[in-house]
Amino acid sequence: MATNCTDYDFLQIEPHWQKLWSDSAAFRTPAIDPSKPKYYVLDMFPYPSGAGLHLGHCENYAITDILARYQRAKGKNVLYPIGWDAFGLPTENYAVKTGRHPREVTVENVATFRRQLKAIGVSYDFEREVDTTDPRYFRWTQWIWLQLFKKGLAYVEEKPVWWCPALGTVLANEEVIDGVSEVGKHPVERRPLRQWVLRITAYAERLLSDLKLVDWPDSTKRMQEAWIGRSEGAELLFALENSALGDLKVFTTRPDTVFGVTFMVIAPEHPLVDALTTPSQREAVAAYRKQAAAKSDLERTDLAKGEKTGVWSGSFAINPANGQKIPVWIADYVIMGYGTGAIMAVPAHDDRDYAFAQKFNIPVIQVIEPDHAEGRNGNGAPKLPYTGDGRLVHSDGYSGLPWEQAKKKITADLAARGRGQATVNFKLRDWLFSRQRYWGEPFPIVWVNEADYAAAVAHAKASGASLPLPSAPVTCVIDGETRYALPVPEQSLPLQLPEVKSYQPTGTGESPLAAITEWVDIWYDAATGHAAPASGAKPAAHYVSARRETNTMPQWAGSCWYYLRYLEPKNDASIASPEALKYWGGPDIYVGGAEHAVLHLLYARFWHKVLFDLGVVPTPEPFTRLFHQGIILGEDGEKMSKSRGNVANPDDIIKSHGTDTLRLYLMFLGPLEAMKPWNPNGIEGVHRFLQKVWRECVERDTGATHPKIVDEADATPADLAKLLHETIKKVGEDIEGLRYNTAISTMMIFVNAWQKAERIARRDALAFLQLLAPFAPHLAEELWSRCGGQAIASTVGTAPWPAFDPVKLVATEQKIVVQVCGKKRAEIILPTGAPEEVVIAAAKAHSDVSAFLNGKEIKRIIYIPGKILNIVAT
RNA sequence: GCCCCCGUGGUGGAAUUGGUAGACACACGGGACUUAAAAUCCCUUGGGCGAAAGUCCGUGCCGGUUCGAGUCCGGCCGGGGGCACCA
C-alpha cells in the first residue's frame, strides 16, 4: 500500500497516507470497552478565525497527536477529539463589515481549519467534532445555564460595566486591558446596564481548595489562587459619632493594629458618603466624587504609584478598641467592590495609609514593634510604615502579644462585645455573563409581569411541564415596571437565534436582537415555549405577554463544558450518558496556551463543580492534568504578527519540507513549555534526519527494502541492539513526560549508529519505525509498509508499542570517572559491579591519577558506585 | 510595588536525586566523491597558553555550603510572565 516513489517524496507520501487514514476511519474512537484502559487527550479547541492555522496551533496539536498515537500503540482506548469555539466577536465584526451571516462565515472558516488539520496529519476523530454555534450543541449550553438559574446562581443586576463606544458593546473586566478593549484596543468608559451575573463567588472556597486535587503547572495554580484572592481577617464595627447613622463596617486583615487607627477611609461610591458629609464639607466632597468618577481605571492605576487623593467628610467615628474619636475621609484608594468599601487606616503599618497620612498631616501611631533588626533604622527606631511581624505596643491590654495571637484575641474580644467578627474575603467577583451582541447563545428566558408570572407558572404546572424555577424569582425593572424572569421549558430547547438583517450593535447598549420586534415582543406559552408575535392576536387564553431576553451569552459559555460533549456529541437526550461520563471521565491531559490560566480554566471549573453538585458529572474537577505549550515567536524573537511581518506560515513549510518535518522540527526546537523563536535554519537538520531514515530503509533506485535489513533475528550488532533498547526506553519515557526534544535527539543518535552498522534485523528496523511513528507518522507508515511491517500489523499505528528488554540494557563494563580533589583526571573502564577496592586500586595505578597524588597524603576517598571516584589528597 | 519563572558555546538547546558541562542539531571552516554543482560521507569547532603532549579558566555577577555546584543557600544584575491602591 506504499507509494511507488523511489526517493523521499513527501508531497506524494503524506497525502497518500492521509487519504488512507481518512478512508479507513483509522482514528475513529473505539467504543466504550471496560476491559481496556481509556486515555482522553484534549486540546483547547480553536476559535476558527479567518486567518487559518498558525504555527502555534501546529505545535499544540502536534504535541497531543504524538501522545494520542503513542497511547494507541500502548493499547489504550484513546479519545482524541477536536471542535470549534465558534461564537464570538471577530466573526460578528466581520459579518457586520461584509454583510454576510456570521453562520456562513463560521462554516467557511471551520472548513479551512478542518482541511489544514488534516494536512498536518493529526489523528483526530473528526466524527466527534463539536461546534459551539450548532443548535444541537448550544441547546446544552442553555440547559446548563438553566440549571445555574434554577440553583439561584444567576441573577440580574443593573451595574456599572465597561461600555466600549467603538464596539457598541459591554465588555467584561477581563476584556479590558489597561483601560482599553482587549479586542481592537478601543477606549472604554463606565456605564450602568442591566446584566446577567453568575454567582461564581459562591464557589470561591472550593475553587481555591480543590486546586490541590489537580496536576497543573504551579504558576497556573498560583495565578488562580491570586485571582480568587482569599484573605482572612475581620469585619469590625466602628460606631459613628452621629449615632443616628449607625455603624461603619470595615474589613481588615490586621485587627491586631486596631489601636493604631488614626483615620477611616470610605470609597467615593460608599452609600454613607452623603450622610457623613457635613454641610461645611459638602462642596469639597461633591467635587472630589465627581473627579473620582471621571477617572478611568487606567488613571486610577497610574495614580496608585503616585499621590494619594481624598477629602475629609467632616464626620468622626469611634474606635471600638479604645473609644477614640477618629476622622472619616473619602478617598478613591479604597474601592467599593472589595470588602465593605471602607477601611480603618493604620498609617504606621500600611504603605497606602502611610502615604495618605503624610499627605494630609494625619498622626501616625506605632503599635507593632519589630522582632528583628531588619525592621529598624540605624538608631533602633522602627522604619515606618512597618508591615512585618512583631509584638504589640501602645495597645492597652494587648501590648507584648505576638501579632498573630493578638489578631485572634482582639477579634474575639470585639466579637464578644458585638463589635466585629472574623471573616474571609475574596477578590473574585461574580461573573458578568451577558453581552449585547448577536453571535452568541440566546438566554432561554422571557420577561413577564408579576401577574403573568404567577399565571404562566400555574399553567405550566397544570400542563405537566416542569420549569427550572429558582426558589426566589429573578426580577428586574424595565421601563418602571418590575419584570419576572421566566425560564423556557427544558424540552423546548434549543432557543435559536432569529434571522436578522443587520448585526450592527444598536448603540443603545442593547443587542441587535432587540431590534427584531416580532421575535422580542411576543405572546408566550410557558408550558411549551411556543411564541407568537405580539403584533398579532393572542393565540390562546393561557398565552401571556412577554419580552424575550435580548442579551446573549459570552464566548466563554460554550467552552465551559465542550470537553464533556465529545463523549457523545450526537446525544439528544443529555449532555452525555452516565455510562460515557463514567467510562471516559475527564481528559487525562489538557493541552493549551497559558493565556487561559485564569479565565477559561476558572470558568470551566466553576461550571463543572455545579454539574458535579447536580450529579451530572462524577468528578469534582474537570482537568486533572494540564500542560501549557510555549509560544512560538517570530524569527526576530518577537510575537508573530502580520504588522511585524515575521509570520511563518505552516502551509509553506508543508510544501517545502513536508508536514512530518514541520511537526518533528516544532517538537525539536526546545522544551515544549518554553517560549521560543522560530528558526528556519534548523529545519534542514530534522529534514536530513528523516531522509537518512529513508535511505537506511529503502534501496536506492528500486525503492525496495534496503538490503542491509535482513531477516535473521540476531543480525543486529550487539552494541546497536543495546542502543535500540535504550532508545525504546528513553523515547517512551520522554513521550510520557512530554520531553519530545530529547526523545528526538535519542532517535537521531540511534539512526547515526544504524547508518554505521553493516546489517540490522528486520524486527529491529521495524521497532525503530514504531518509535518514529508518533512524530513522523506519514514517513513511518510508508517505510513500515516497504520494510515488511505488514506481516506484524497493517499499519504502523496499529502495531503494539515495542517493549525494551531490560537484559539488553545491562552493560558488562562501566566507565568510572576518577577525580583528584574534585577535578577530573582520568577515566577507567572496569567490569560492572567491580568492588570499591578494585576501583580504587585501578584508579591509583592510572598514570594520570598517580601524577597528581605524588607526594600527597590521601585524606579521604568518595566512591559513587559505577559513576565517580573522588580522591581527596593534600 | 508584589508574586512567579528563566540567564549554559557563534545559534536552538542537552545534562535522573548535587557526580565527566556543552548530548543532539544548526551555522562556520577544512577534506573526500564529482568535469562542475547539488546531495552524501569524514574531520574540526567554549576560551587562554602551547609546535604537541598537556595545562589553566569557563554555565549572568559576588559570596556561601559540599569531597564535588549549571543544579542547593544568601545578595546583586539582566530578561520574561502574572497581579496591581484588594485594606
mmCIF file of all heavy atoms in Angstrom, chain A residues 32-69:
data_model
loop_
_atom_site.group_PDB
_atom_site.id
_atom_site.type_symbol
_atom_site.label_atom_id
_atom_site.label_comp_id
_atom_site.label_asym_id
_atom_site.label_seq_id
_atom_site.Cartn_x
_atom_site.Cartn_y
_atom_site.Cartn_z
ATOM 1 N N ILE A 32 -16.867 2.223 23.984
ATOM 2 C CA ILE A 32 -16.600 2.031 25.410
ATOM 3 C C ILE A 32 -16.234 0.572 25.625
ATOM 4 O O ILE A 32 -16.949 -0.326 25.191
ATOM 5 C CB ILE A 32 -17.857 2.390 26.235
ATOM 6 C CG1 ILE A 32 -18.069 3.900 26.183
ATOM 7 C CG2 ILE A 32 -17.733 1.885 27.658
ATOM 8 C CD1 ILE A 32 -19.329 4.358 26.881
ATOM 9 N N ASP A 33 -15.083 0.348 26.248
ATOM 10 C CA ASP A 33 -14.614 -1.014 26.449
ATOM 11 C C ASP A 33 -14.003 -1.112 27.841
ATOM 12 O O ASP A 33 -12.838 -0.790 28.038
ATOM 13 C CB ASP A 33 -13.574 -1.365 25.372
ATOM 14 C CG ASP A 33 -13.010 -2.761 25.561
ATOM 15 O OD1 ASP A 33 -13.382 -3.427 26.556
ATOM 16 O OD2 ASP A 33 -12.203 -3.188 24.725
ATOM 17 N N PRO A 34 -14.801 -1.546 28.817
ATOM 18 C CA PRO A 34 -14.324 -1.540 30.199
ATOM 19 C C PRO A 34 -13.101 -2.427 30.417
ATOM 20 O O PRO A 34 -12.413 -2.289 31.426
ATOM 21 C CB PRO A 34 -15.525 -2.081 30.997
ATOM 22 C CG PRO A 34 -16.695 -1.934 30.088
ATOM 23 C CD PRO A 34 -16.164 -2.052 28.690
ATOM 24 N N SER A 35 -12.815 -3.324 29.459
ATOM 25 C CA SER A 35 -11.666 -4.207 29.645
ATOM 26 C C SER A 35 -10.360 -3.499 29.307
ATOM 27 O O SER A 35 -9.283 -3.991 29.597
ATOM 28 C CB SER A 35 -11.820 -5.441 28.760
ATOM 29 O OG SER A 35 -11.633 -5.064 27.408
ATOM 30 N N LYS A 36 -10.479 -2.333 28.650
ATOM 31 C CA LYS A 36 -9.260 -1.623 28.250
ATOM 32 C C LYS A 36 -9.161 -0.289 28.967
ATOM 33 O O LYS A 36 -10.167 0.400 29.147
ATOM 34 C CB LYS A 36 -9.339 -1.319 26.749
ATOM 35 C CG LYS A 36 -8.743 -2.383 25.857
ATOM 36 C CD LYS A 36 -8.976 -1.982 24.425
ATOM 37 C CE LYS A 36 -7.746 -2.198 23.556
ATOM 38 N NZ LYS A 36 -7.977 -1.666 22.206
ATOM 39 N N PRO A 37 -7.948 0.104 29.349
ATOM 40 C CA PRO A 37 -7.810 1.438 29.953
ATOM 41 C C PRO A 37 -8.079 2.512 28.903
ATOM 42 O O PRO A 37 -7.707 2.356 27.741
ATOM 43 C CB PRO A 37 -6.369 1.476 30.418
ATOM 44 C CG PRO A 37 -5.664 0.427 29.644
ATOM 45 C CD PRO A 37 -6.679 -0.610 29.276
ATOM 46 N N LYS A 38 -8.731 3.573 29.319
ATOM 47 C CA LYS A 38 -9.030 4.661 28.384
ATOM 48 C C LYS A 38 -7.955 5.748 28.502
ATOM 49 O O LYS A 38 -7.267 5.856 29.524
ATOM 50 C CB LYS A 38 -10.404 5.238 28.675
ATOM 51 C CG LYS A 38 -10.519 5.902 30.060
ATOM 52 C CD LYS A 38 -10.244 7.385 30.034
ATOM 53 C CE LYS A 38 -10.200 7.976 31.446
ATOM 54 N NZ LYS A 38 -9.996 9.424 31.463
ATOM 55 N N TYR A 39 -7.803 6.526 27.447
ATOM 56 C CA TYR A 39 -6.922 7.688 27.518
ATOM 57 C C TYR A 39 -7.562 8.797 26.700
ATOM 58 O O TYR A 39 -7.839 8.632 25.522
ATOM 59 C CB TYR A 39 -5.524 7.358 26.984
ATOM 60 C CG TYR A 39 -4.484 8.355 27.439
ATOM 61 C CD1 TYR A 39 -3.820 8.199 28.655
ATOM 62 C CD2 TYR A 39 -4.170 9.472 26.668
ATOM 63 C CE1 TYR A 39 -2.885 9.115 29.093
ATOM 64 C CE2 TYR A 39 -3.245 10.395 27.092
ATOM 65 C CZ TYR A 39 -2.601 10.213 28.301
ATOM 66 O OH TYR A 39 -1.677 11.138 28.726
ATOM 67 N N TYR A 40 -7.822 9.897 27.365
ATOM 68 C CA TYR A 40 -8.548 11.011 26.729
ATOM 69 C C TYR A 40 -7.573 12.189 26.617
ATOM 70 O O TYR A 40 -7.100 12.709 27.620
ATOM 71 C CB TYR A 40 -9.771 11.342 27.593
ATOM 72 C CG TYR A 40 -10.657 12.497 27.135
ATOM 73 C CD1 TYR A 40 -10.445 13.193 25.944
ATOM 74 C CD2 TYR A 40 -11.741 12.883 27.920
ATOM 75 C CE1 TYR A 40 -11.275 14.232 25.565
ATOM 76 C CE2 TYR A 40 -12.583 13.934 27.556
ATOM 77 C CZ TYR A 40 -12.334 14.606 26.374
ATOM 78 O OH TYR A 40 -13.148 15.656 26.007
ATOM 79 N N VAL A 41 -7.243 12.545 25.390
ATOM 80 C CA VAL A 41 -6.316 13.649 25.126
ATOM 81 C C VAL A 41 -7.114 14.841 24.613
ATOM 82 O O VAL A 41 -7.826 14.732 23.619
ATOM 83 C CB VAL A 41 -5.287 13.284 24.037
ATOM 84 C CG1 VAL A 41 -4.217 14.363 23.935
ATOM 85 C CG2 VAL A 41 -4.657 11.947 24.318
ATOM 86 N N LEU A 42 -6.992 15.965 25.284
ATOM 87 C CA LEU A 42 -7.796 17.125 24.912
ATOM 88 C C LEU A 42 -6.933 18.337 24.568
ATOM 89 O O LEU A 42 -6.021 18.698 25.300
ATOM 90 C CB LEU A 42 -8.729 17.488 26.072
ATOM 91 C CG LEU A 42 -9.682 18.663 25.811
ATOM 92 C CD1 LEU A 42 -10.715 18.311 24.764
ATOM 93 C CD2 LEU A 42 -10.372 19.090 27.101
ATOM 94 N N ASP A 43 -7.249 18.933 23.422
ATOM 95 C CA ASP A 43 -6.680 20.236 23.062
ATOM 96 C C ASP A 43 -7.654 21.325 23.438
ATOM 97 O O ASP A 43 -8.857 21.115 23.398
ATOM 98 C CB ASP A 43 -6.510 20.338 21.536
ATOM 99 C CG ASP A 43 -5.337 19.558 21.030
ATOM 100 O OD1 ASP A 43 -4.242 19.773 21.549
ATOM 101 O OD2 ASP A 43 -5.529 18.741 20.112
ATOM 102 N N MET A 44 -7.145 22.500 23.766
ATOM 103 C CA MET A 44 -8.029 23.647 23.844
ATOM 104 C C MET A 44 -8.514 23.888 22.417
ATOM 105 O O MET A 44 -7.704 24.097 21.513
ATOM 106 C CB MET A 44 -7.283 24.865 24.371
ATOM 107 C CG MET A 44 -7.030 24.768 25.858
ATOM 108 S SD MET A 44 -6.305 26.254 26.539
ATOM 109 C CE MET A 44 -5.980 25.679 28.223
ATOM 110 N N PHE A 45 -9.838 23.781 22.217
ATOM 111 C CA PHE A 45 -10.326 23.865 20.844
ATOM 112 C C PHE A 45 -10.165 25.285 20.296
ATOM 113 O O PHE A 45 -10.194 26.253 21.044
ATOM 114 C CB PHE A 45 -11.739 23.298 20.691
ATOM 115 C CG PHE A 45 -12.871 24.003 21.403
ATOM 116 C CD1 PHE A 45 -14.188 23.701 21.074
ATOM 117 C CD2 PHE A 45 -12.642 24.939 22.390
ATOM 118 C CE1 PHE A 45 -15.243 24.320 21.701
ATOM 119 C CE2 PHE A 45 -13.708 25.566 23.034
ATOM 120 C CZ PHE A 45 -15.001 25.261 22.681
ATOM 121 N N PRO A 46 -9.931 25.392 18.982
ATOM 122 C CA PRO A 46 -9.578 26.690 18.417
ATOM 123 C C PRO A 46 -10.804 27.557 18.135
ATOM 124 O O PRO A 46 -11.913 27.049 17.951
ATOM 125 C CB PRO A 46 -8.894 26.321 17.107
ATOM 126 C CG PRO A 46 -9.539 25.041 16.695
ATOM 127 C CD PRO A 46 -9.856 24.306 17.980
ATOM 128 N N TYR A 47 -10.564 28.830 18.090
ATOM 129 C CA TYR A 47 -11.520 29.767 17.543
ATOM 130 C C TYR A 47 -11.242 29.794 16.044
ATOM 131 O O TYR A 47 -10.130 30.156 15.637
ATOM 132 C CB TYR A 47 -11.307 31.150 18.162
ATOM 133 C CG TYR A 47 -12.245 32.178 17.583
ATOM 134 C CD1 TYR A 47 -13.579 32.179 17.943
ATOM 135 C CD2 TYR A 47 -11.804 33.111 16.660
ATOM 136 C CE1 TYR A 47 -14.452 33.098 17.397
ATOM 137 C CE2 TYR A 47 -12.668 34.035 16.114
ATOM 138 C CZ TYR A 47 -14.000 34.019 16.489
ATOM 139 O OH TYR A 47 -14.866 34.925 15.942
ATOM 140 N N PRO A 48 -12.203 29.399 15.207
ATOM 141 C CA PRO A 48 -11.919 29.315 13.776
ATOM 142 C C PRO A 48 -11.912 30.693 13.119
ATOM 143 O O PRO A 48 -12.897 31.130 12.554
ATOM 144 C CB PRO A 48 -13.056 28.435 13.238
ATOM 145 C CG PRO A 48 -14.166 28.602 14.216
ATOM 146 C CD PRO A 48 -13.566 28.950 15.544
ATOM 147 N N SER A 49 -10.793 31.351 13.226
ATOM 148 C CA SER A 49 -10.678 32.690 12.660
ATOM 149 C C SER A 49 -10.452 32.589 11.159
ATOM 150 O O SER A 49 -10.120 31.524 10.647
ATOM 151 C CB SER A 49 -9.499 33.415 13.297
ATOM 152 O OG SER A 49 -8.297 32.909 12.770
ATOM 153 N N GLY A 50 -10.601 33.680 10.486
ATOM 154 C CA GLY A 50 -10.408 33.684 9.042
ATOM 155 C C GLY A 50 -8.963 33.468 8.626
ATOM 156 O O GLY A 50 -8.683 33.123 7.491
ATOM 157 N N ALA A 51 -8.053 33.656 9.587
ATOM 158 C CA ALA A 51 -6.632 33.598 9.247
ATOM 159 C C ALA A 51 -6.130 32.171 9.079
ATOM 160 O O ALA A 51 -5.071 31.937 8.519
ATOM 161 C CB ALA A 51 -5.799 34.308 10.317
ATOM 162 N N GLY A 52 -6.879 31.182 9.552
ATOM 163 C CA GLY A 52 -6.438 29.795 9.415
ATOM 164 C C GLY A 52 -5.430 29.402 10.478
ATOM 165 O O GLY A 52 -5.136 30.167 11.393
ATOM 166 N N LEU A 53 -4.893 28.207 10.337
ATOM 167 C CA LEU A 53 -3.960 27.670 11.330
ATOM 168 C C LEU A 53 -2.647 28.437 11.326
ATOM 169 O O LEU A 53 -2.133 28.785 10.273
ATOM 170 C CB LEU A 53 -3.628 26.216 11.004
ATOM 171 C CG LEU A 53 -4.571 25.085 11.367
ATOM 172 C CD1 LEU A 53 -3.816 23.780 11.238
ATOM 173 C CD2 LEU A 53 -5.113 25.237 12.763
ATOM 174 N N HIS A 54 -2.115 28.657 12.493
ATOM 175 C CA HIS A 54 -0.764 29.219 12.569
ATOM 176 C C HIS A 54 0.153 28.218 13.268
ATOM 177 O O HIS A 54 -0.301 27.161 13.715
ATOM 178 C CB HIS A 54 -0.777 30.580 13.271
ATOM 179 C CG HIS A 54 -1.452 30.577 14.611
ATOM 180 N ND1 HIS A 54 -0.910 29.938 15.713
ATOM 181 C CD2 HIS A 54 -2.622 31.112 15.024
ATOM 182 C CE1 HIS A 54 -1.712 30.094 16.736
ATOM 183 N NE2 HIS A 54 -2.774 30.794 16.357
ATOM 184 N N LEU A 55 1.430 28.559 13.349
ATOM 185 C CA LEU A 55 2.399 27.615 13.900
ATOM 186 C C LEU A 55 2.084 27.217 15.330
ATOM 187 O O LEU A 55 2.370 26.095 15.745
ATOM 188 C CB LEU A 55 3.811 28.205 13.832
ATOM 189 C CG LEU A 55 4.532 28.085 12.490
ATOM 190 C CD1 LEU A 55 5.914 28.696 12.596
ATOM 191 C CD2 LEU A 55 4.625 26.631 12.064
ATOM 192 N N GLY A 56 1.511 28.151 16.088
ATOM 193 C CA GLY A 56 1.146 27.845 17.470
ATOM 194 C C GLY A 56 0.130 26.712 17.542
ATOM 195 O O GLY A 56 0.264 25.806 18.369
ATOM 196 N N HIS A 57 -0.886 26.749 16.645
ATOM 197 C CA HIS A 57 -1.826 25.635 16.571
ATOM 198 C C HIS A 57 -1.071 24.339 16.259
ATOM 199 O O HIS A 57 -1.295 23.321 16.885
ATOM 200 C CB HIS A 57 -2.847 25.850 15.441
ATOM 201 C CG HIS A 57 -3.852 26.935 15.696
ATOM 202 N ND1 HIS A 57 -3.975 28.039 14.884
ATOM 203 C CD2 HIS A 57 -4.785 27.083 16.669
ATOM 204 C CE1 HIS A 57 -4.947 28.812 15.339
ATOM 205 N NE2 HIS A 57 -5.455 28.268 16.420
ATOM 206 N N CYS A 58 -0.194 24.408 15.267
ATOM 207 C CA CYS A 58 0.538 23.207 14.838
ATOM 208 C C CYS A 58 1.313 22.612 16.004
ATOM 209 O O CYS A 58 1.341 21.406 16.200
ATOM 210 C CB CYS A 58 1.503 23.524 13.701
ATOM 211 S SG CYS A 58 0.677 24.063 12.211
ATOM 212 N N GLU A 59 1.949 23.475 16.777
ATOM 213 C CA GLU A 59 2.722 22.996 17.922
ATOM 214 C C GLU A 59 1.796 22.287 18.903
ATOM 215 O O GLU A 59 2.036 21.158 19.324
ATOM 216 C CB GLU A 59 3.406 24.181 18.615
ATOM 217 C CG GLU A 59 4.276 23.746 19.776
ATOM 218 C CD GLU A 59 4.701 24.890 20.690
ATOM 219 O OE1 GLU A 59 3.998 25.920 20.715
ATOM 220 O OE2 GLU A 59 5.714 24.746 21.373
ATOM 221 N N ASN A 60 0.712 22.978 19.262
ATOM 222 C CA ASN A 60 -0.257 22.443 20.209
ATOM 223 C C ASN A 60 -0.766 21.069 19.757
ATOM 224 O O ASN A 60 -0.746 20.104 20.518
ATOM 225 C CB ASN A 60 -1.415 23.456 20.302
ATOM 226 C CG ASN A 60 -2.357 23.169 21.459
ATOM 227 O OD1 ASN A 60 -3.063 24.049 21.910
ATOM 228 N ND2 ASN A 60 -2.401 21.951 21.949
ATOM 229 N N TYR A 61 -1.186 20.978 18.499
ATOM 230 C CA TYR A 61 -1.826 19.748 18.043
ATOM 231 C C TYR A 61 -0.811 18.645 17.774
ATOM 232 O O TYR A 61 -1.143 17.462 17.886
ATOM 233 C CB TYR A 61 -2.706 20.030 16.815
ATOM 234 C CG TYR A 61 -3.683 21.160 17.064
ATOM 235 C CD1 TYR A 61 -4.066 22.047 16.070
ATOM 236 C CD2 TYR A 61 -4.194 21.365 18.346
ATOM 237 C CE1 TYR A 61 -4.938 23.095 16.323
ATOM 238 C CE2 TYR A 61 -5.065 22.416 18.615
ATOM 239 C CZ TYR A 61 -5.432 23.287 17.598
ATOM 240 O OH TYR A 61 -6.288 24.326 17.859
ATOM 241 N N ALA A 62 0.411 19.028 17.419
ATOM 242 C CA ALA A 62 1.443 18.004 17.249
ATOM 243 C C ALA A 62 1.749 17.356 18.603
ATOM 244 O O ALA A 62 1.910 16.140 18.696
ATOM 245 C CB ALA A 62 2.707 18.613 16.651
ATOM 246 N N ILE A 63 1.793 18.158 19.648
ATOM 247 C CA ILE A 63 2.054 17.615 20.985
ATOM 248 C C ILE A 63 1.021 16.547 21.335
ATOM 249 O O ILE A 63 1.349 15.437 21.736
ATOM 250 C CB ILE A 63 2.009 18.740 22.051
ATOM 251 C CG1 ILE A 63 3.182 19.698 21.873
ATOM 252 C CG2 ILE A 63 2.013 18.150 23.462
ATOM 253 C CD1 ILE A 63 3.083 20.951 22.738
ATOM 254 N N THR A 64 -0.256 16.893 21.154
ATOM 255 C CA THR A 64 -1.293 15.956 21.559
ATOM 256 C C THR A 64 -1.387 14.780 20.594
ATOM 257 O O THR A 64 -1.667 13.655 21.011
ATOM 258 C CB THR A 64 -2.656 16.657 21.645
ATOM 259 O OG1 THR A 64 -2.898 17.390 20.446
ATOM 260 C CG2 THR A 64 -2.706 17.608 22.825
ATOM 261 N N ASP A 65 -1.143 15.031 19.311
ATOM 262 C CA ASP A 65 -1.230 13.937 18.344
ATOM 263 C C ASP A 65 -0.188 12.869 18.646
ATOM 264 O O ASP A 65 -0.458 11.669 18.571
ATOM 265 C CB ASP A 65 -1.040 14.467 16.922
ATOM 266 C CG ASP A 65 -1.250 13.372 15.886
ATOM 267 O OD1 ASP A 65 -2.292 12.699 15.963
ATOM 268 O OD2 ASP A 65 -0.366 13.179 15.034
ATOM 269 N N ILE A 66 1.013 13.310 18.994
ATOM 270 C CA ILE A 66 2.077 12.362 19.330
ATOM 271 C C ILE A 66 1.659 11.518 20.533
ATOM 272 O O ILE A 66 1.817 10.297 20.557
ATOM 273 C CB ILE A 66 3.389 13.135 19.584
ATOM 274 C CG1 ILE A 66 3.922 13.676 18.250
ATOM 275 C CG2 ILE A 66 4.419 12.253 20.283
ATOM 276 C CD1 ILE A 66 4.955 14.772 18.387
ATOM 277 N N LEU A 67 1.094 12.196 21.522
ATOM 278 C CA LEU A 67 0.651 11.488 22.721
ATOM 279 C C LEU A 67 -0.479 10.509 22.390
ATOM 280 O O LEU A 67 -0.486 9.367 22.862
ATOM 281 C CB LEU A 67 0.178 12.526 23.748
ATOM 282 C CG LEU A 67 0.151 12.115 25.196
ATOM 283 C CD1 LEU A 67 1.500 11.569 25.634
ATOM 284 C CD2 LEU A 67 -0.238 13.313 26.052
ATOM 285 N N ALA A 68 -1.418 10.952 21.562
ATOM 286 C CA ALA A 68 -2.554 10.090 21.219
ATOM 287 C C ALA A 68 -2.077 8.864 20.452
ATOM 288 O O ALA A 68 -2.492 7.736 20.743
ATOM 289 C CB ALA A 68 -3.570 10.887 20.392
ATOM 290 N N ARG A 69 -1.196 9.064 19.489
ATOM 291 C CA ARG A 69 -0.700 7.936 18.704
ATOM 292 C C ARG A 69 0.112 6.977 19.581
ATOM 293 O O ARG A 69 0.036 5.755 19.430
ATOM 294 C CB ARG A 69 0.164 8.443 17.538
ATOM 295 C CG ARG A 69 -0.650 9.108 16.429
ATOM 296 C CD ARG A 69 0.266 9.702 15.362
ATOM 297 N NE ARG A 69 -0.457 10.424 14.330
ATOM 298 C CZ ARG A 69 -0.899 9.874 13.191
ATOM 299 N NH1 ARG A 69 -0.668 8.603 12.935
ATOM 300 N NH2 ARG A 69 -1.551 10.604 12.314
#
